[in-house]
């Protein structure tokens, strides 16, 4: 039966929850993921298909097939990079770090997780910060680097809410509290360790995280055992053992069986210890954890010694010594690896600090250049605006200049015409003035003479001073004066005609 879109989304979300440690659930989970991949393949939804594929890789890893998981992950990594989704790349890097660390490649495991963290810091995507800090903290814890382990765990818990918005968050937060409790256990700070374990247990019970809860119960039992609280220790060991049996958590089951068997030996109850140690040895051989097989042979040799079975005690002791010698060489190699990783990490941290300082300096220079560029842009914008205004003013001035030039030409032409008219008028006036002078002279001299004589002669006639015999002479003089006056008037008329 094919999975629906909503069922597929729930499946993918379940992958992030990491809550698939029950063997039956894990088998069902992997089967459903196959359906989900097929569904998204048909829908040509590459992002969702790759998300299912990465979730399947994690499921294969949890199924104990680490090398197969790593091979499948490396096959799909080019597709993840090509897709360019930073969230998926971070998840892929985180799973790669977890798998390679489990396979003993501690250097690559740490490098993959540090690269995942670098991608998160660069892209600021809001997913997988918590799980990345958790995995990094666990790896530092495995290296016994308690300071860096605590720093990673505390950074994970201090993330803002928008970086922890997946439903898987409570489970991962619980495991971070478990990690902080482990740091406190190594520091023999049992009080603080119990506080962290209580917080982890609250979250694990709420989310039904059987794997995490069984570990929390086991660690709580161990602390009560160290504090000498026997009843509480036995109670918590019993709860952890029951939960690990129910969920088929084989590695955890071996650990609890070993600790509880050892505790019964310490309490002087070898009969209660023996079945636990025997069962633990069977499971340890089945899961192939040599360190736990070695510890169980040592405890069984103690049991047989207390039971008086010297041959079996010797046999178990020989097995223990052989495994211990073999493991001692492996432990030396592991210590060398850890030292090498610590050295690489310190070197990486120094290089990262140098890079950070350079980046800070470059960023400061870049910011300064950006500010200068912004200022230059403002200046250029202002200059361009002013140029546009000046160009507009220039065009306006040129238009006005053209108008003024045309006006000046018109004025010059008018002035020239006026000057010509003035000269003509002046010449005309001068001519008229000359005529008026001539007229005035005629009026003053030429007219007044004949007219005065006529008037004088008429006066003489009027007063009767003229003798009769003189009258023809007077009339002659009058006629002569009148003719002379007529000539003058004719001349004046000619002058007046010229002045018009």
């Amino acid at each position: 039966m094919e999975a629906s879109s909503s069922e597929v989304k729930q499946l993918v979300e379940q992958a992030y929850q990491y809550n698939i440690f029950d063997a039956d659930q894990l088998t069902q989970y992997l089967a459903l993921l196959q359906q989900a991949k097929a569904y998204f393949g048909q829908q040509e939804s590459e992002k969702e298909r790759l998300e299912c594929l990465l979730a399947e890789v994690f499921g294969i890893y949890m199924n104990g097939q680490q090398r197969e998981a790593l091979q499948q992950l490396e096959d799909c990594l080019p597709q993840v990079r090509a897709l360019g989704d930073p969230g998926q790349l971070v998840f892929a890097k985180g799973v790669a770090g977890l798998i390679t660390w489990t396979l003993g490649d501690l250097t690559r495991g740490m490098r993959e997780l540090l690269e995942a963290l670098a991608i998160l810091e660069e892209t600021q995507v809001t997913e997988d910060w918590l799980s990345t800090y958790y995995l990094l903290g666990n790896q530092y814890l495995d290296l016994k680097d308690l300071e860096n382990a605590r720093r990673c765990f505390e950074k994970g818990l201090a993330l803002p809410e928008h970086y922890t918005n997946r439903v898987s968050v409570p489970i991962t937060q619980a495991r971070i509290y478990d990690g902080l409790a482990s740091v406190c256990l190594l520091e023999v700070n049992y009080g603080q360790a119990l506080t962290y374990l209580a917080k982890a247990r609250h979250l694990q019970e709420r989310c039904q995280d059987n794997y995490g809860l069984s570990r929390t119960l086991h660690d709580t039992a161990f602390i009560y055992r160290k504090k000498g609280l026997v009843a509480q220790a036995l109670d918590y060991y019993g709860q952890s053992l029951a939960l690990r049996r129910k969920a088929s958590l084989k590695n955890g089951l071996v650990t609890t069986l070993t600790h509880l068997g050892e505790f019964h030996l310490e309490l002087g109850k070898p009969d209660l210890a023996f079945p636990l140690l025997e069962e633990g040895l069977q499971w340890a051989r089945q899961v192939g954890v040599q360190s736990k097989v070695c510890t169980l042979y040592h405890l069984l040799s103690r049991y047989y010694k207390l039971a008086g079975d010297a041959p079996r005690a010797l046999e178990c002791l020989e097995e223990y010594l052989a495994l211990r010698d073999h493991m001692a060489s492996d432990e030396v190699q592991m210590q060398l690896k850890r030292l090498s990783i610590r050295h690489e990490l310190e070197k990486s941290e120094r290089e990262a600090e140098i890079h950070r300082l350079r980046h800070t300096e470059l960023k400061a220079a870049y910011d300064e250049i950006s500010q200068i560029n912004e200022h230059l842009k403002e200046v250029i914008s202002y200059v361009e605006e002013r140029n546009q205004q000046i160009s507009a003013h220039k065009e306006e001035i040129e238009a006005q200049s053209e108008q003024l030039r045309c006006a000046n030409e018109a004025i010059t032409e008018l002035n020239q015409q006026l000057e010509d008219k003035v000269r003509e008028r002046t010449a005309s006036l001068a001519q008229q003035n000359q005529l008026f002078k001539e007229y005035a002279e005629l009026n003053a001299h030429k007219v007044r003479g004949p007219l005065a004589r006529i008037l004088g002669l008429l006066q003489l006639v009027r007063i009767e001073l003229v003798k009769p015999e003189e009258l023809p002479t007077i009339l002659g003089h009058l006629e002569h004066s009148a003719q002379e006056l007529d000539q003058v008037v004719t001349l004046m008329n000619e002058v007046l005609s010229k002045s018009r």
Side-chain angles (χ1 to χ4, degrees):
M1 180 181 68
E2 288 190 357
S4 67
S5 179
S6 60
E7 289 173 336
V8 168
K9 289 179 181 178
Q10 287 181 338
L11 280 172
V12 174
E13 190 58 49
Q14 187 181 0
Y16 285 96
Q17 291 183 16
Y18 302 164
N19 192 20
I20 51 175
F21 293 91
D22 183 280
D24 294 334
Q25 289 179 349
L26 181 57
T27 302
Q28 182 182 9
Y29 167 81
L30 289 171
L32 288 173
L33 270 179
Q34 289 287 341
Q35 296 180 21
K37 279 197 308 180
Y39 173 85
F40 285 123
Q42 293 172 0
Q43 298 294 319
E44 296 183 355
S45 302
E46 183 64 8
K47 179 179 178 180
E48 288 78 5
R49 188 187 70 82
L50 285 173
E51 195 164 4
C52 289
L53 189 57
L54 291 173
E56 183 183 33
V57 167
F58 182 77
I60 294 170
Y61 162 76
M62 292 307 304
N63 201 33
Q65 299 169 281
Q66 288 88 356
R67 296 194 181 280
E68 292 83 352
L70 182 60
Q71 183 60 54
Q72 184 165 323
L73 178 63
E74 289 177 342
D75 289 342
C76 73
L77 266 177
Q79 302 170 53
V80 174
R81 290 193 182 96
L83 185 64
D85 184 287
Q88 285 198 358
L89 187 57
V90 168
F91 182 68
K93 288 283 183 184
V95 174
L98 183 62
I99 296 173
T100 51
W101 188 272
T102 304
L103 290 171
D105 190 348
L106 309 186
T107 304
R108 181 181 172 185
M110 183 63 76
R111 186 179 69 248
E112 294 283 2
L113 287 174
L114 289 173
E115 287 177 4
L117 186 60
I119 295 169
L120 286 171
E121 291 173 346
E122 181 181 350
T123 61
Q124 291 296 306
V125 294
T126 58
E127 298 174 0
D128 294 311
W129 283 83
L130 194 64
S131 57
T132 303
Y133 276 127
Y134 164 67
L135 293 173
L136 264 175
N138 259 357
Q139 294 198 3
Y140 280 121
L141 188 61
D142 197 21
L143 292 170
K144 301 298 185 289
D145 187 346
L146 303 186
E147 182 180 350
N148 277 321
R150 185 191 298 276
R151 178 175 57 82
C152 288
F153 290 143
E154 290 177 347
K155 277 190 174 182
L157 292 176
L159 286 169
E161 185 177 350
H162 65 281
Y163 284 109
T164 58
N165 56 0
R166 301 190 69 91
V167 298
S168 60
V169 164
I171 295 173
T172 311
Q173 285 177 333
R175 291 183 188 162
I176 286 179
Y177 282 125
D178 265 339
L180 285 168
S182 297
V183 172
C184 293
L185 282 173
L186 291 170
E187 294 173 341
V188 199
N189 185 354
Y190 296 143
Q192 187 61 53
L194 284 173
T195 301
Y196 285 131
L197 289 171
K199 291 180 179 181
R201 182 177 180 181
H202 171 73
L203 293 169
Q204 289 156 349
E205 287 176 342
R206 191 179 82 188
C207 300
Q208 298 182 341
D209 178 14
N210 293 335
Y211 172 82
L213 181 58
S214 69
R215 176 177 173 176
T216 299
L217 293 170
H218 176 91
D219 290 344
T220 304
F222 178 78
I223 293 172
Y224 283 131
R225 174 183 165 188
K226 289 295 182 182
K227 291 169 72 71
L229 302 173
V230 176
Q232 291 92 326
L234 289 173
D235 178 45
Y236 278 100
Y237 272 136
Q239 291 183 52
S240 176
L241 186 61
L243 200 56
R244 286 175 165 176
R245 286 187 193 281
K246 179 181 177 182
S248 300
L249 303 174
K250 298 175 184 179
N251 281 313
L253 189 58
V254 171
T255 301
T256 302
L257 287 168
T258 303
H259 280 235
L260 188 54
E262 183 181 26
F263 191 30
H264 281 306
L265 286 177
E266 291 174 0
L267 295 173
K269 299 177 181 179
D271 292 340
L272 294 176
F274 178 71
L276 297 171
L277 297 175
E278 277 285 303
E279 183 184 359
L281 183 60
Q282 292 175 9
W283 283 113
R285 285 172 174 166
Q286 183 176 334
V287 297
V289 183
Q290 293 300 310
S291 60
K292 292 180 179 179
V293 172
C294 180
T295 301
L296 284 163
Y297 271 125
H298 186 233
L299 293 172
L300 283 169
S301 71
R302 285 173 56 188
Y303 164 74
Y304 285 122
K305 182 178 179 181
L306 291 171
D309 190 344
R312 294 293 302 276
L314 182 60
E315 180 184 340
C316 288
L317 184 60
E318 288 174 348
E319 291 284 352
Y320 161 71
L321 292 174
L323 284 171
R324 188 191 66 177
D325 291 341
H326 176 71
M327 288 175 55
S329 175
D330 292 342
E331 182 63 24
V332 169
Q333 293 297 321
M334 183 60 70
Q335 288 293 339
L336 289 173
K337 277 188 178 181
R338 288 173 177 168
L339 288 173
S340 175
I341 291 172
R342 291 289 295 274
H343 173 72
E344 289 294 327
L345 286 175
E346 290 172 0
K347 181 181 176 182
S348 297
E349 288 172 358
R350 287 195 299 271
E351 291 174 351
E353 180 64 16
I354 292 170
H355 176 73
R356 186 189 66 79
L357 291 173
R358 287 178 179 171
H359 177 72
T360 302
E361 292 173 357
L362 288 172
K363 187 176 183 303
Y366 175 78
D367 291 342
E368 184 178 354
I369 290 170
S370 296
Q371 290 177 356
I372 293 171
N373 283 338
E374 287 298 321
H375 179 66
L376 285 175
K377 285 179 182 177
E378 291 176 3
V379 171
I380 290 169
S381 177
Y382 173 76
V383 169
E384 288 176 348
E385 184 180 352
R386 290 296 298 162
N387 281 339
Q388 290 176 356
Q389 293 175 354
I390 290 169
S391 297
H393 289 162
K394 182 181 177 183
E395 291 175 359
E396 184 180 350
I397 290 169
E398 287 176 350
Q400 292 176 352
S401 296
E402 181 64 23
Q403 292 174 357
L404 288 173
R405 188 186 64 77
C406 294
N408 283 334
E409 289 178 355
I411 291 170
T412 302
E413 186 177 353
L414 287 172
N415 284 338
Q416 186 64 40
Q417 292 174 358
L418 286 173
E419 286 177 0
D420 294 342
K421 287 182 179 181
V422 166
R423 280 194 296 271
E424 291 175 3
R425 187 64 177 166
T426 301
S428 175
L429 289 173
Q431 185 180 5
Q432 286 181 357
N433 284 338
Q434 183 63 35
L435 292 172
F436 285 147
K437 284 180 182 180
E438 292 178 4
Y439 179 83
E441 185 179 351
L442 290 172
N443 184 54
H445 300 288
K446 301 291 182 182
V447 174
R448 291 298 298 172
L451 185 61
R453 284 194 292 274
I454 291 170
L455 291 173
L457 290 172
L458 289 173
Q459 184 68 22
L460 288 174
V461 173
R462 187 180 294 115
I463 62 173
E464 297 180 354
L465 291 178
V466 177
K467 296 176 178 179
E469 64 269 16
E470 294 177 345
L471 188 58
T473 304
I474 294 299
L475 289 173
H477 286 304
L478 282 172
E479 184 181 4
H480 178 74
S481 292
Q483 290 175 350
E484 187 180 356
L485 183 60
D486 181 63
Q487 290 176 356
V488 171
V489 168
T490 301
L491 183 61
M492 288 177 67
N493 284 334
E494 291 175 359
V495 170
L496 289 173
S497 296
K498 290 179 181 180
S499 66
R500 289 191 184 100

